[in-house]
Amino acid sequence: LTPEEAYKVLTENVLPKNKKVVWLTFDDSLRDFYTNAFPLLQKYQMRATNNVITGFVENGREDMLTLEQIKEMKQKGMSFEDHTVNHPDLSLANAETQTTELQVSKQYLDSNLSQNTTTVAYPSGRYSETTTQIAESLGYKMGLTTNNGLASLNDGLLTLNRIRVNPTTTAQDLLNEIATNWKIGLSSKMSKSYSFFFCANFSRSKRNFRFGLSLLKSFYFLILILYLLSAYLNLILIQLQIFCYIFL
């Protein structure tokens, strides 16, 4: 998903044309997103969102993406959203500092990328009620946390969950995490709509990202099997009802 598609899934209950509801996010605008992840995303024709620490990019830190790299990747389908100016702990910052961090970074991205930045990923996932109020007042539509779980409208657009993929995350860990959270989503009120999805926050590891992509394919296959099984069981129930009507 792109941020625009994610917002539409959450607010309008509408799936994108490709029917996929996975939003890949990368935090911190690190240089290896360009050297490691971006080539793989292009190879598998996938899109992702990188959340940018604008002050680090603007100051030319060696381990950060350059503005030229960001513009190049944006032209090729990647999305870039906000991760504040200096990556502070917003939950501990006063209202003035939070406003500056969220406003200046948004202005930098809006101006340099000719876009309306709609999403903020809170540094280290930390935020307060004041943070979400300021974000909303500045025009942000979505806020990403590091709270574990499916992204759901039930949790609030400015406090969306994500599932983290760390360098130490194994393939089985990720599969278990997806399965557990998907079951929770299906057993709740969310099962009546499309307004929840898997928002993966990948680490900088090229190896982890590669197996993460393969796991996402397995995940889609699992959902297809479950859907077909459900349709088969519904057909059996219909046939049983017809049998009872004829003979009883």
Side-chain angles (χ1 to χ4, degrees):
L1 295 175
T2 64
E4 294 77 17
E5 289 172 335
Y7 184 76
K8 193 165 186 175
V9 169
L10 289 167
T11 60
E12 299 180 25
N13 198 31
V14 176
L15 287 173
K17 292 181 179 179
N18 59 18
K19 306 294 184 184
K20 294 181 179 180
V21 284
V22 176
W23 186 8
L24 303 179
T25 66
F26 294 75
D27 287 357
D28 300 336
S29 51
L30 291 163
R31 184 72 60 92
D32 60 7
F33 179 74
Y34 182 79
T35 57
N36 294 351
F38 180 52
L40 287 172
L41 289 164
Q42 286 192 300
K43 177 180 178 180
Y44 292 102
Q45 299 181 330
M46 301 180 75
R47 293 175 295 187
T49 299
N50 195 299
N51 302 306
V52 181
I53 307 173
T54 60
F56 294 177
V57 170
E58 191 171 15
N59 292 332
R61 259 184 49 168
E62 289 187 4
D63 58 340
M64 292 288 114
L65 294 169
T66 66
L67 183 57
E68 290 70 26
Q69 290 170 336
I70 291 173
K71 288 181 176 180
E72 176 191 342
M73 290 186 285
K74 187 175 189 294
Q75 290 178 344
K76 296 179 180 179
M78 302 301 114
S79 300
F80 294 89
E81 298 291 330
D82 185 35
H83 202 33
T84 72
V85 179
N86 299 299
H87 203 272
D89 184 340
L90 295 176
S91 68
L92 300 178
N94 60 41
E96 182 180 359
T97 298
Q98 292 190 62
T99 300
T100 299
E101 286 285 338
L102 295 173
Q103 186 174 48
V104 173
S105 53
K106 186 178 190 305
Q107 290 172 344
Y108 178 87
L109 294 171
D110 288 352
S111 174
N112 285 286
L113 300 182
S114 301
Q115 67 180 30
N116 178 27
T117 304
T118 60
T119 304
V120 56
Y122 307 117
S124 302
R126 299 191 180 100
Y127 63 96
S128 65
E129 185 176 347
T130 300
T131 310
T132 59
Q133 291 172 350
I134 293 171
E136 184 175 20
S137 71
L138 292 174
Y140 289 102
K141 294 182 178 180
M142 294 182 290
L144 303 179
T145 72
T146 54
N147 299 333
N148 190 58
L150 297 173
S152 166
L153 184 62
N154 293 351
D155 297 316
L157 288 171
L158 290 169
T159 51
L160 296 172
N161 297 336
R162 290 190 287 178
I163 293 178
R164 197 169 208 164
V165 182
N166 294 310
T168 56
T169 303
T170 66
Q172 192 59 51
D173 289 339
L174 184 56
L175 284 173
N176 291 341
E177 198 70 45
I178 292 171
T180 300
N181 282 282
W182 196 262
K183 287 178 182 177
I184 293 172
L186 291 176
S187 64
S188 70
K189 293 180 180 179
M190 293 185 290
S191 62
K192 298 180 181 179
S193 71
Y194 298 125
S195 298
F196 67 104
F197 53 81
F198 173 47
C199 183
N201 183 22
F202 281 93
S203 74
R204 69 190 68 181
S205 168
K206 180 175 182 179
R207 174 178 171 273
N208 277 15
F209 181 57
R210 190 184 294 275
F211 82 67
L213 289 176
S214 65
L215 287 175
L216 289 177
K217 293 177 182 178
S218 300
F219 170 69
Y220 286 130
F221 179 73
L222 174 62
I223 295 303
L224 176 61
I225 294 298
L226 291 175
Y227 175 80
L228 292 175
L229 179 60
S230 175
Y232 177 70
L233 291 175
N234 285 334
L235 180 60
I236 291 176
L237 288 174
I238 292 172
Q239 290 174 338
L240 181 59
Q241 288 173 347
I242 293 174
F243 176 83
C244 292
Y245 176 76
I246 293 175
F247 290 97
L248 299 179

